[in-house]
Amino acid sequence: MHPFEYVRIADAEQAVAVVTADPDASFLAGGTTQLDLMKDGVLEPDRLVDITRLPLRGIMHGETSVHVGALTSMEELAADTLLRERLPFVREALLLGASTQLRNMATIGGNLLQRARCRYFRDPTVAACNKRSPGSGCAAITGNQHMHAILGTSEHCIALHASDVAVPFVALDAVVHVQGRNGSRSIPLTRFYLPPGTTPHIENVLEHGELITEVEIPLLPEGTRSHYLKVRDRVSYEFALTSAGVALLLDGDTVREARVGLGGVGTVPWRAWGAEEVLRGAAVSGETFRAAAEAALEGARTLPGIAFKVELAKRTLVRALETVAGVPS
């Protein structure tokens, strides 16, 4: 592991100032992904600023939203009673996202910032990785593509964003609140992540030194049903091949409101706007759900190793919608 300086700071403004002033400094919270990447030699910060003592932990219930401190653990959020009642698909995504041990360590802010699960990005002996070394190429395009993306990709990168909870978060229009040297700002999660384009190494809109302080999760109207379905190679502790986070507000047999997020298929947590448009105002039926799935996967770009994901993602979404609507599969 690359030698580094360790600093523990208990004031958010000071932590931001220290990291902003040092281009080789990084924040450290739960560290469940970051430390692994450091051990592998993928990340080599000269200074780690431990923020675990900042007052950024806790859950506050409002009339229309839930405010979650960035240092709140996945397990703490999953145990929240209001989320269990009003946003069950958030809780399901959290519980399916990691083992109990990891959920007690991993923070909500850190989960949203987790790095790509691309085997080539995580292996520094592989030279061709535009995410790790801009301009070097993308080994995944000609390599093993089983766990890669089909939506939001480019010729420069097909790495997958693997967060489970980010899928219902984007469907809910969650907002990330951040603090930087120039003050605070709020960023809708649908605008927080950046597709790879020609700059795969730039994954989100955060400036260096900006710190996530809180995630604001809107509450859906009373009566809205939701579900998170995750399809994976094995049941225990595995990343999604495909997943769907859906929420429906029904008026009899008609869909009044729909929220759809997809995981396991996008270079960013994927909001399926086209599927939502198909669903709103439509009758609850297998035909409607299949049409929504077709719209959700429109524009998918495939390679031989991931062509199967198109149909699998469609079936995953249809099954999730059937579950929420109570339609027999």
Side-chain angles (χ1 to χ4, degrees):
M1 183 185 290
H2 177 74
F4 61 89
E5 177 188 3
Y6 172 82
V7 182
R8 176 177 281 172
I9 295 177
D11 177 78
E13 187 173 339
Q14 183 184 1
V16 167
V18 170
V19 174
T20 300
D22 184 353
D24 294 316
S26 297
F27 296 116
L28 173 67
T32 54
T33 297
Q34 185 177 14
L35 294 179
D36 285 344
L37 293 175
M38 291 174 62
K39 292 175 184 177
D40 291 338
V42 177
L43 299 181
E44 296 185 332
D46 289 335
R47 178 182 293 175
L48 282 184
V49 177
D50 187 338
I51 59 172
T52 54
R53 293 191 178 181
L54 298 184
L56 301 177
R57 197 179 194 118
I59 304 168
M60 185 175 68
H61 298 157
E63 291 186 6
T64 60
S65 61
V66 176
H67 295 255
V68 183
L71 294 179
T72 303
S73 72
M74 294 173 65
E75 187 69 9
E76 288 169 331
L77 184 57
D80 184 74
T81 303
L82 183 61
L83 254 69
R84 183 194 297 264
E85 296 174 353
R86 295 285 298 275
L87 300 173
F89 70 153
V90 172
R91 181 174 185 270
E92 291 165 351
L94 287 164
L95 295 178
L96 291 171
S99 65
T100 305
Q101 294 90 336
L102 286 175
R103 292 200 305 269
N104 277 293
M105 285 294 297
T107 64
I108 295 302
N111 184 279
L112 296 180
L113 290 174
Q114 66 178 284
R115 303 301 301 275
R117 294 292 165 177
C118 174
R119 64 171 62 186
Y120 303 105
F121 166 70
R122 290 171 176 256
D123 185 353
T125 66
V126 175
C129 176
N130 289 318
K131 190 175 286 292
R132 182 168 21 85
S133 180
S136 62
C138 178
I141 289 178
T142 56
N144 187 314
Q145 303 140 6
H146 186 66
M147 293 299 294
H148 287 78
I150 57 175
L151 292 169
T153 62
S154 75
E155 62 183 0
H156 302 282
C157 185
I158 59 171
L160 181 72
H161 194 283
S163 172
D164 284 288
V165 75
V167 174
F169 277 2
V170 296
L172 288 166
D173 290 318
V175 176
V176 176
H177 300 282
V178 304
Q179 181 175 341
R181 60 181 175 180
N182 296 319
S184 302
R185 61 177 178 142
S186 301
I187 310 164
L189 200 60
T190 50
R191 300 179 186 174
F192 181 79
Y193 298 104
L194 298 174
T198 59
T199 56
H201 60 292
I202 304 175
E203 298 179 344
N204 55 62
V205 300
L206 288 181
E207 298 175 0
H208 180 70
E210 280 193 307
L211 175 68
I212 295 179
T213 58
E214 179 183 273
V215 180
E216 182 180 351
I217 311 170
L219 291 170
L220 294 175
E222 292 277 4
T224 303
R225 307 173 187 174
S226 68
H227 178 53
Y228 181 74
L229 177 61
K230 181 176 182 177
V231 177
R232 43 191 169 173
D233 283 327
R234 60 182 184 184
V235 173
S236 178
Y237 188 48
E238 183 59 279
F239 298 101
L241 288 174
T242 60
S243 69
V246 304
L248 298 179
L249 181 61
L250 302 179
D251 184 2
D253 291 330
T254 301
V255 179
R256 185 192 304 174
E257 182 57 58
R259 302 292 186 115
V260 179
L262 300 178
V265 292
T267 55
V268 300
W270 200 260
R271 180 72 175 270
W273 302 101
E276 294 178 1
E277 186 175 347
V278 169
L279 290 166
R280 290 191 186 102
V284 171
S285 69
E287 291 77 12
T288 295
F289 294 161
R290 184 67 191 187
E294 294 289 342
L297 273 295
E298 186 176 348
R301 299 173 61 180
T302 64
L303 292 166
I306 45 176
F308 74 95
K309 282 198 172 188
V310 176
E311 182 60 25
L312 183 60
K314 291 176 183 178
R315 295 188 184 194
T316 302
L317 178 53
V318 169
R319 176 64 64 85
L321 290 167
E322 288 175 340
T323 300
V324 172
V327 175
S329 58

XYZ file of all heavy atoms in Angstrom, residues 14-103:
675
model
N -13.357 22.534 8.527
C -11.926 22.290 8.527
C -11.573 21.103 7.635
O -10.579 21.132 6.897
C -11.434 22.031 9.950
C -9.921 21.835 10.037
C -9.462 21.476 11.444
O -10.275 21.355 12.362
N -8.152 21.310 11.615
N -12.394 20.051 7.673
C -12.144 18.884 6.834
C -12.181 19.259 5.358
O -11.323 18.841 4.571
C -13.174 17.800 7.132
N -13.153 20.059 4.988
C -13.255 20.515 3.596
C -12.037 21.341 3.220
O -11.465 21.178 2.131
C -14.552 21.332 3.396
C -14.523 22.068 2.060
C -15.768 20.421 3.475
N -11.608 22.215 4.105
C -10.456 23.077 3.819
C -9.188 22.250 3.626
O -8.389 22.518 2.710
C -10.265 24.080 4.953
N -8.989 21.239 4.458
C -7.779 20.424 4.371
C -7.734 19.646 3.054
O -6.708 19.613 2.365
C -7.699 19.461 5.569
C -6.582 18.441 5.363
C -7.455 20.234 6.859
N -8.842 19.026 2.685
C -8.854 18.237 1.452
C -8.796 19.139 0.227
O -8.095 18.841 -0.753
C -10.099 17.330 1.407
C -10.196 16.613 0.059
C -10.040 16.315 2.540
N -9.502 20.263 0.264
C -9.486 21.189 -0.875
C -8.081 21.698 -1.157
O -7.684 21.854 -2.328
C -10.423 22.379 -0.602
O -11.759 21.899 -0.406
C -10.413 23.354 -1.773
N -7.312 21.936 -0.124
C -5.971 22.500 -0.283
C -4.946 21.484 -0.761
O -3.841 21.863 -1.180
C -5.510 23.115 1.043
N -5.279 20.209 -0.712
C -4.320 19.153 -1.064
C -4.906 18.274 -2.161
O -5.812 17.479 -1.907
C -4.008 18.320 0.178
C -2.948 17.259 -0.080
O -2.547 17.076 -1.241
O -2.524 16.617 0.906
N -4.427 18.366 -3.385
C -4.992 17.575 -4.486
C -4.810 16.075 -4.306
O -5.473 15.285 -4.980
C -4.230 18.086 -5.716
C -2.982 18.708 -5.176
C -3.339 19.256 -3.839
N -3.931 15.666 -3.395
C -3.690 14.248 -3.158
C -4.328 13.753 -1.869
O -3.968 12.690 -1.352
C -2.182 13.963 -3.127
C -1.518 14.205 -4.477
O -2.097 13.777 -5.491
O -0.450 14.832 -4.512
N -5.269 14.530 -1.339
C -5.966 14.140 -0.112
C -7.359 13.600 -0.438
O -7.970 13.987 -1.439
C -6.079 15.326 0.841
N -7.855 12.712 0.427
C -9.193 12.137 0.261
C -9.874 12.031 1.614
O -9.215 11.864 2.643
C -9.122 10.744 -0.370
O -8.575 10.777 -1.667
N -11.206 12.100 1.599
C -11.978 11.844 2.807
C -12.018 10.335 3.068
O -11.997 9.520 2.139
C -13.415 12.354 2.653
C -13.521 13.838 2.496
C -14.009 14.401 1.323
C -13.155 14.690 3.531
C -14.133 15.775 1.181
C -13.270 16.070 3.402
C -13.754 16.608 2.217
N -12.115 9.973 4.345
C -12.271 8.581 4.742
C -13.461 8.469 5.683
O -13.507 9.133 6.717
C -11.015 8.061 5.448
C -11.126 6.656 6.058
C -11.272 5.607 4.957
C -9.915 6.347 6.931
N -14.428 7.619 5.305
C -15.583 7.360 6.183
C -15.561 5.882 6.545
O -14.670 5.430 7.241
C -16.872 7.779 5.500
N -16.539 5.105 6.049
C -16.547 3.675 6.361
C -15.381 2.931 5.760
O -14.867 1.967 6.322
N -14.950 3.362 4.558
C -13.765 2.789 3.925
C -13.939 1.409 3.351
O -12.951 0.772 2.979
N -15.181 0.906 3.244
C -15.378 -0.483 2.835
C -14.937 -0.756 1.394
O -14.578 -1.888 1.070
C -16.849 -0.893 3.002
O -17.683 0.022 2.304
C -17.242 -0.898 4.468
N -14.961 0.240 0.536
C -14.440 0.097 -0.823
C -13.098 0.792 -0.972
O -12.172 0.261 -1.592
C -15.432 0.693 -1.851
O -16.651 -0.045 -1.810
C -14.869 0.617 -3.260
N -12.991 1.958 -0.398
C -11.796 2.778 -0.554
C -10.525 2.060 -0.097
O -9.504 2.069 -0.790
C -11.963 4.076 0.232
C -10.847 5.082 0.055
C -11.143 6.367 0.814
O -12.035 6.398 1.667
N -10.415 7.413 0.509
N -10.574 1.423 1.059
C -9.380 0.758 1.578
C -8.986 -0.437 0.716
O -7.793 -0.718 0.537
C -9.600 0.338 3.027
C -9.756 1.492 4.019
C -9.995 0.961 5.426
C -8.522 2.394 3.998
N -9.969 -1.142 0.177
C -9.649 -2.247 -0.739
C -8.900 -1.728 -1.963
O -7.913 -2.329 -2.407
C -10.932 -2.954 -1.186
C -11.518 -3.844 -0.109
O -10.791 -4.158 0.858
O -12.701 -4.208 -0.220
N -9.358 -0.614 -2.516
C -8.709 -0.049 -3.699
C -7.313 0.467 -3.370
O -6.409 0.415 -4.207
C -9.575 1.067 -4.280
C -10.909 0.622 -4.879
C -11.727 1.822 -5.316
C -10.687 -0.311 -6.058
N -7.118 0.956 -2.172
C -5.792 1.379 -1.749
C -4.850 0.186 -1.610
O -3.693 0.236 -2.028
C -5.881 2.157 -0.437
C -6.544 3.520 -0.573
S -6.797 4.352 1.021
C -5.104 4.532 1.599
N -5.348 -0.898 -1.044
C -4.526 -2.105 -0.908
C -4.131 -2.666 -2.271
O -3.040 -3.217 -2.435
C -5.291 -3.162 -0.110
C -5.498 -2.808 1.352
C -6.381 -3.846 2.042
C -6.664 -3.455 3.483
N -7.579 -4.421 4.153
N -5.044 -2.530 -3.237
C -4.765 -3.031 -4.586
C -3.892 -2.087 -5.404
O -3.476 -2.425 -6.520
C -6.076 -3.274 -5.339
C -6.865 -4.450 -4.774
O -6.249 -5.309 -4.121
O -8.093 -4.499 -4.988
N -3.630 -0.898 -4.870
C -2.801 0.060 -5.596
C -3.543 0.855 -6.648
O -2.925 1.526 -7.475
N -4.883 0.799 -6.612
C -5.672 1.569 -7.575
C -5.783 3.023 -7.128
O -5.675 3.950 -7.930
C -7.070 0.941 -7.743
C -7.931 1.775 -8.679
C -6.945 -0.482 -8.266
N -6.018 3.222 -5.842
C -6.038 4.568 -5.254
C -4.781 4.740 -4.402
O -4.435 3.850 -3.617
C -7.282 4.764 -4.391
C -8.640 4.645 -5.073
C -9.753 4.884 -4.063
C -8.754 5.615 -6.240
N -4.145 5.896 -4.538
C -2.908 6.147 -3.790
C -2.899 7.561 -3.220
O -2.041 8.387 -3.561
C -1.692 5.922 -4.680
C -1.536 4.480 -5.158
C -0.261 4.251 -5.949
O 0.227 5.224 -6.594
O 0.250 3.119 -5.932
N -3.830 7.874 -2.320
C -3.840 9.214 -1.721
C -2.634 9.403 -0.807
O -2.163 8.456 -0.161
C -5.148 9.222 -0.924
C -5.392 7.779 -0.598
C -4.895 7.018 -1.785
N -2.133 10.621 -0.754
C -1.033 10.938 0.156
C -1.540 11.259 1.555
O -0.789 11.182 2.529
C -0.231 12.136 -0.372
C 0.579 11.774 -1.615
O 0.892 10.581 -1.784
O 0.874 12.681 -2.414
N -2.848 11.623 1.645
C -3.406 11.984 2.940
C -4.859 11.524 3.008
O -5.637 11.741 2.079
C -3.341 13.501 3.136
C -3.950 13.989 4.448
C -3.903 15.504 4.545
N -2.540 15.989 4.642
C -2.202 17.286 4.644
N -3.135 18.210 4.556
N -0.943 17.645 4.728
N -5.204 10.868 4.117
C -6.578 10.482 4.372
C -7.113 11.320 5.517
O -6.519 11.354 6.600
C -6.679 8.998 4.743
C -6.608 7.974 3.610
C -6.820 6.576 4.180
C -7.630 8.260 2.526
N -8.237 11.976 5.272
C -8.871 12.808 6.291
C -10.080 12.057 6.817
O -11.104 11.928 6.138
C -9.267 14.183 5.718
C -9.988 15.001 6.777
C -8.028 14.925 5.215
N -9.953 11.540 8.030
C -11.003 10.750 8.671
C -12.130 11.681 9.125
O -11.929 12.562 9.954
C -10.411 10.007 9.865
C -11.395 9.033 10.504
O -12.621 9.206 10.328
O -10.940 8.108 11.184
N -13.339 11.465 8.574
C -14.476 12.341 8.889
C -15.518 11.646 9.754
O -16.620 12.164 9.943
C -15.150 12.848 7.599
C -15.656 11.677 6.756
C -14.195 13.740 6.807
C -16.504 12.079 5.578
N -15.174 10.498 10.312
C -16.181 9.709 11.030
C -16.673 10.386 12.306
O -17.700 9.977 12.857
C -15.626 8.315 11.380
O -14.383 8.447 12.098
C -15.386 7.513 10.110
N -15.966 11.417 12.792
C -16.416 12.125 13.988
C -17.178 13.413 13.673
O -17.542 14.156 14.583
C -15.221 12.422 14.899
C -14.598 11.164 15.491
C -13.596 11.476 16.585
N -13.058 10.251 17.168
C -12.182 10.216 18.163
N -11.735 11.355 18.687
N -11.738 9.070 18.635
N -17.413 13.657 12.392
C -18.221 14.827 12.045
C -19.680 14.574 12.429
O -20.156 13.433 12.389
C -18.123 15.119 10.548
C -16.747 15.464 9.977
C -16.881 15.826 8.499
C -16.086 16.577 10.737
N -20.419 15.623 12.771
C -21.826 15.458 13.172
C -22.746 15.290 11.961
O -23.650 16.096 11.715
C -22.116 16.755 13.929
C -21.225 17.761 13.282
C -19.955 17.021 12.931
N -22.501 14.231 11.205
C -23.248 14.001 9.969
C -23.948 12.648 10.000
O -24.116 11.995 8.975
C -22.305 14.063 8.753
C -21.539 15.371 8.551
C -20.610 15.255 7.353
C -22.505 16.537 8.361
N -24.360 12.240 11.177
C -25.015 10.943 11.340
C -26.414 11.157 11.907
O -26.601 11.942 12.834
C -24.192 10.073 12.285
C -24.521 8.589 12.229
C -23.637 7.810 13.197
N -23.707 6.384 12.932
C -22.682 5.643 12.569
N -21.486 6.192 12.435
N -22.819 4.343 12.348
N -27.378 10.466 11.375
C -28.720 10.549 11.916
C -29.772 10.662 10.831
O -29.471 10.944 9.666
N -31.023 10.445 11.227
C -32.161 10.463 10.312
C -33.222 11.382 10.880
O -33.624 11.244 12.035
C -32.742 9.044 10.143
C -31.653 8.070 9.659
C -33.929 9.050 9.185
C -32.067 6.618 9.739
N -33.658 12.340 10.068
C -34.682 13.282 10.499
C -35.896 13.168 9.583
O -35.766 13.254 8.363
C -34.151 14.719 10.491
C -35.135 15.741 11.038
S -34.426 17.405 11.146
C -34.237 17.801 9.397
N -37.066 12.986 10.168
C -38.301 12.837 9.407
C -38.983 14.183 9.224
O -39.205 14.916 10.191
C -39.259 11.892 10.123
C -38.720 10.514 10.288
N -39.163 9.650 11.257
C -37.758 9.850 9.603
C -38.503 8.506 11.170
N -37.638 8.606 10.175
N -39.299 14.529 7.978
C -40.091 15.709 7.684
C -41.445 15.309 7.140
O -41.748 14.119 6.989
N -42.279 16.285 6.845
C -43.617 15.981 6.335
C -43.574 15.394 4.931
O -44.403 14.554 4.578
C -44.470 17.249 6.342
C -44.834 17.753 7.732
C -45.797 18.915 7.673
O -46.258 19.241 6.549
O -46.106 19.492 8.733
N -42.599 15.834 4.136
C -42.556 15.395 2.741
C -41.280 14.666 2.369
O -41.146 14.196 1.245
C -42.708 16.600 1.793
O -41.632 17.531 2.032
C -44.039 17.294 2.017
N -40.333 14.565 3.302
C -39.061 13.927 2.978
C -38.366 13.423 4.233
O -38.710 13.799 5.356
C -38.148 14.903 2.225
O -37.865 16.034 3.028
N -37.361 12.590 4.008
C -36.502 12.085 5.069
C -35.096 12.608 4.807
O -34.578 12.485 3.690
C -36.498 10.541 5.097
C -35.521 10.028 6.150
C -37.895 10.011 5.352
N -34.479 13.203 5.819
C -33.134 13.736 5.693
C -32.161 12.783 6.392
O -32.308 12.514 7.594
C -33.045 15.133 6.296
C -33.877 16.143 5.573
N -33.338 17.094 4.732
C -35.226 16.337 5.526
C -34.298 17.833 4.219
N -35.461 17.392 4.687
N -31.178 12.301 5.643
C -30.256 11.294 6.152
C -28.845 11.850 6.144
O -28.319 12.236 5.083
C -30.310 10.012 5.278
C -29.394 8.942 5.857
C -31.737 9.509 5.168
N -28.222 11.903 7.311
C -26.838 12.340 7.387
C -25.937 11.416 6.599
O -26.134 10.191 6.575
N -24.928 11.977 5.947
C -24.081 11.203 5.046
C -23.332 10.088 5.748
O -22.984 9.074 5.129
C -23.093 12.131 4.343
N -23.063 10.232 7.047
C -22.333 9.208 7.788
C -23.254 8.169 8.434
O -22.786 7.269 9.128
C -21.462 9.857 8.865
C -20.307 10.721 8.348
C -19.526 11.323 9.502
C -19.370 9.894 7.461
N -24.540 8.274 8.203
C -25.474 7.250 8.663
C -25.151 5.940 7.958
O -24.910 5.922 6.750
C -26.917 7.670 8.343
O -27.177 8.936 8.947
C -27.914 6.648 8.855
N -25.118 4.860 8.699
C -24.772 3.578 8.083
C -25.960 3.021 7.296
O -27.120 3.385 7.528
C -24.343 2.565 9.141
O -25.453 2.125 9.901
N -25.659 2.136 6.385
C -26.710 1.470 5.623
C -27.657 0.722 6.548
O -28.873 0.727 6.352
C -26.084 0.499 4.613
C -25.269 1.143 3.516
S -24.401 -0.082 2.502
C -25.773 -0.956 1.748
N -27.108 0.099 7.568
C -27.938 -0.669 8.495
C -28.861 0.238 9.292
O -30.032 -0.105 9.531
C -27.044 -1.480 9.438
C -27.797 -2.442 10.343
C -28.413 -3.613 9.605
O -28.130 -3.815 8.399
O -29.196 -4.346 10.235
N -28.375 1.389 9.698
C -29.203 2.333 10.451
C -30.374 2.826 9.616
O -31.502 2.927 10.111
C -28.348 3.510 10.926
C -27.382 3.166 12.046
C -26.381 4.258 12.323
O -26.036 5.028 11.384
O -25.902 4.346 13.460
N -30.111 3.122 8.359
C -31.195 3.589 7.505
C -32.191 2.472 7.226
O -33.405 2.701 7.202
C -30.640 4.150 6.199
C -31.664 4.767 5.254
C -32.435 5.895 5.936
C -30.990 5.295 3.985
N -31.692 1.255 7.028
C -32.581 0.127 6.754
C -33.514 -0.148 7.925
O -34.622 -0.679 7.741
C -31.765 -1.123 6.439
N -33.095 0.221 9.128
C -33.903 -0.029 10.328
C -34.914 1.070 10.603
O -35.732 0.949 11.522
C -32.978 -0.186 11.542
N -34.915 2.140 9.815
C -35.804 3.261 10.062
C -37.266 2.864 9.827
O -37.614 2.335 8.758
C -35.426 4.432 9.145
C -36.249 5.666 9.432
O -36.002 6.319 10.456
O -37.161 5.962 8.634
N -38.106 3.141 10.793
C -39.505 2.717 10.736
C -40.278 3.397 9.614
O -41.081 2.757 8.908
C -40.206 3.015 12.073
O -39.496 2.356 13.127
C -41.643 2.520 12.051
N -40.065 4.693 9.408
C -40.807 5.412 8.376
C -40.459 4.887 6.987
O -41.342 4.739 6.134
C -40.500 6.913 8.461
C -41.279 7.797 7.480
C -42.784 7.699 7.732
C -40.831 9.260 7.587
N -39.179 4.597 6.739
C -38.803 4.039 5.448
C -39.435 2.669 5.239
O -39.875 2.344 4.126
C -37.274 3.944 5.325
C -36.650 4.994 4.401
C -36.758 6.373 5.036
C -35.213 4.671 4.091
N -39.475 1.888 6.283
C -40.103 0.568 6.181
C -41.569 0.696 5.750
O -42.075 -0.098 4.956
C -40.014 -0.149 7.532
C -40.586 -1.566 7.530
C -40.773 -2.034 8.968
N -39.512 -2.101 9.666
C -38.787 -3.205 9.810
N -39.219 -4.325 9.293
N -37.659 -3.175 10.493
N -42.251 1.717 6.260
C -43.672 1.880 5.976
C -43.941 2.579 4.644
O -44.840 2.182 3.899
C -44.319 2.675 7.113
C -44.293 1.976 8.463
C -44.810 2.854 9.577
O -45.071 4.051 9.314
O -44.951 2.355 10.709
N -43.169 3.633 4.353
C -43.486 4.483 3.202
C -42.617 4.223 1.969
O -43.049 4.483 0.841
C -43.346 5.956 3.611
C -44.336 6.424 4.664
C -45.728 6.637 4.102
N -45.739 7.664 3.088
C -45.838 8.978 3.332
N -45.958 9.398 4.588
N -45.855 9.849 2.349
N -41.389 3.731 2.184
C -40.467 3.514 1.065
C -39.806 2.150 1.184
O -38.581 2.031 1.309
C -39.393 4.613 1.036
C -39.879 6.050 0.884
C -38.718 7.025 1.049
C -40.562 6.264 -0.470
N -40.602 1.079 1.153
C -40.015 -0.251 1.361
C -38.940 -0.622 0.350
O -38.030 -1.386 0.670
C -41.221 -1.192 1.277
C -42.306 -0.398 0.631
C -42.056 1.025 0.990
N -39.009 -0.090 -0.887
C -37.984 -0.480 -1.858
C -36.618 0.103 -1.533
O -35.592 -0.452 -1.943
C -38.410 -0.204 -3.293
C -38.509 1.229 -3.751
C -38.342 1.539 -5.094
C -38.808 2.267 -2.884
C -38.443 2.836 -5.562
C -38.920 3.574 -3.342
C -38.730 3.860 -4.674
N -36.561 1.187 -0.761
C -35.273 1.692 -0.295
C -34.683 0.708 0.712
O -33.498 0.350 0.649
C -35.423 3.088 0.334
C -34.111 3.529 0.985
C -35.847 4.104 -0.722
N -35.498 0.276 1.646
C -35.031 -0.694 2.649
C -34.596 -1.997 1.983
O -33.554 -2.575 2.335
C -36.135 -0.968 3.666
C -35.744 -1.952 4.755
C -36.838 -2.059 5.816
N -36.411 -2.917 6.912
C -36.610 -4.226 6.945
N -37.244 -4.817 5.944
N -36.190 -4.943 7.978
N -35.369 -2.472 1.016
C -35.020 -3.720 0.332
C -33.683 -3.596 -0.388
O -32.860 -4.518 -0.360
C -36.126 -4.092 -0.656
C -37.426 -4.507 0.016
C -38.605 -4.524 -0.934
O -38.467 -4.043 -2.081
O -39.669 -5.013 -0.528
N -33.446 -2.451 -1.027
C -32.188 -2.238 -1.729
C -31.009 -2.215 -0.755
O -29.932 -2.751 -1.039
C -32.239 -0.933 -2.524
N -31.209 -1.604 0.406
C -30.151 -1.564 1.411
C -29.822 -2.969 1.915
O -28.649 -3.348 2.029
C -30.576 -0.683 2.583
C -30.588 0.824 2.318
C -31.389 1.544 3.399
C -29.165 1.373 2.257
N -30.843 -3.747 2.220
C -30.618 -5.082 2.756
C -30.003 -6.027 1.733
O -29.266 -6.950 2.095
C -31.938 -5.666 3.275
C -32.554 -4.942 4.477
C -33.879 -5.590 4.863
C -31.597 -4.933 5.665
N -30.293 -5.800 0.457
C -29.723 -6.645 -0.592
C -28.362 -6.147 -1.073
O -27.701 -6.813 -1.869
C -30.684 -6.713 -1.789
C -31.996 -7.473 -1.558
C -32.938 -7.270 -2.731
C -31.713 -8.960 -1.352
N -27.952 -4.979 -0.577
C -26.744 -4.355 -1.097
C -25.452 -4.838 -0.499
O -24.383 -4.644 -1.100
N -25.496 -5.457 0.679
C -24.257 -5.881 1.331
C -24.585 -6.806 2.489
O -25.734 -6.896 2.932
C -23.478 -4.666 1.837
N -23.557 -7.459 3.005
C -23.718 -8.302 4.187
C -23.990 -7.417 5.409
O -23.754 -6.210 5.392
C -22.457 -9.125 4.424
O -21.369 -8.273 4.743
N -24.460 -8.029 6.478
C -24.753 -7.278 7.692
C -23.516 -6.560 8.214
O -23.584 -5.404 8.644
C -25.300 -8.219 8.789
O -26.427 -8.930 8.275
C -25.711 -7.437 10.024
N -22.374 -7.235 8.181
C -21.142 -6.628 8.668
C -20.802 -5.371 7.881
O -20.452 -4.330 8.456
C -19.979 -7.631 8.573
C -20.127 -8.827 9.503
C -20.872 -9.990 8.844
O -21.647 -9.786 7.899
N -20.634 -11.191 9.345
N -20.920 -5.438 6.563
C -20.605 -4.274 5.737
C -21.644 -3.176 5.906
O -21.305 -1.989 5.911
C -20.504 -4.681 4.270
C -19.245 -5.460 3.879
C -19.332 -5.910 2.428
C -17.999 -4.621 4.094
N -22.908 -3.560 6.065
C -23.946 -2.535 6.230
C -23.753 -1.735 7.516
O -24.156 -0.584 7.602
C -25.345 -3.184 6.239
C -25.766 -3.783 4.923
C -27.280 -3.966 4.854
N -27.821 -4.736 5.951
C -27.991 -6.055 5.946
N -27.639 -6.758 4.886
N -28.529 -6.669 6.992
